[in-house]
């Protein structure tokens, strides 16, 4: 997971959050800004992964087909 720099330039954002969840977070002394930032960073990483898989699907399928037909390249040199 991506580390969020403590000294990163921050941008104010207007968010709508479930009032009960906000009450609980405040009661537990959760830093809501940092928690939101961590959640957004996780969502961004997940979306980048999803898009990468879509963009590279044909290559991965081609490679899988090759391995299925011919086996793993240089298999005879594997030590495991």
């Amino acid at each position: 997971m991506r580390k969020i720099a403590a000294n990163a330039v921050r941008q104010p954002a207007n968010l709508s959050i479930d009032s009960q969840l906000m009450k609980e977070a405040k009661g537990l002394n959760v830093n809501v800004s940092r928690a939101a930032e961590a959640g957004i960073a996780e969502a961004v990483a997940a979306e980048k992964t999803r898009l990468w898989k879509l963009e590279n699907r044909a290559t991965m399928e081609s490679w899988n087909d090759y391995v299925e037909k011919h086996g793993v390249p240089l298999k005879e040199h594997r030590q495991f």
Side-chain angles (χ1 to χ4, degrees):
M1 182 183 284
R2 177 183 170 259
K3 274 199 165 190
I4 299 169
N7 62 346
V9 177
R10 301 272 187 282
Q11 177 178 332
N14 184 13
L15 303 171
S16 297
I17 299 174
D18 179 284
S19 61
Q20 187 59 39
L21 181 61
M22 195 65 165
K23 220 181 271 187
E24 283 186 73
K26 285 185 178 189
L28 295 168
N29 294 321
V30 171
N31 182 326
V32 177
S33 292
R34 296 289 189 244
E37 188 173 17
I40 293 167
E42 187 177 322
V44 166
E47 183 63 9
K48 283 181 175 181
T49 298
R50 186 187 74 78
L51 291 172
W52 185 91
K53 287 178 180 179
L54 279 175
E55 291 167 4
N56 292 283
R57 176 180 281 160
T59 301
M60 291 187 300
E61 286 175 356
S62 176
W63 175 250
N64 289 337
D65 290 343
Y66 177 89
V67 170
E68 195 173 299
K69 290 176 189 168
H70 306 286
V72 178
L74 304 173
K75 182 180 178 180
E76 64 274 9
H77 300 291
R78 293 174 92 178
Q79 297 181 3
F80 54 91

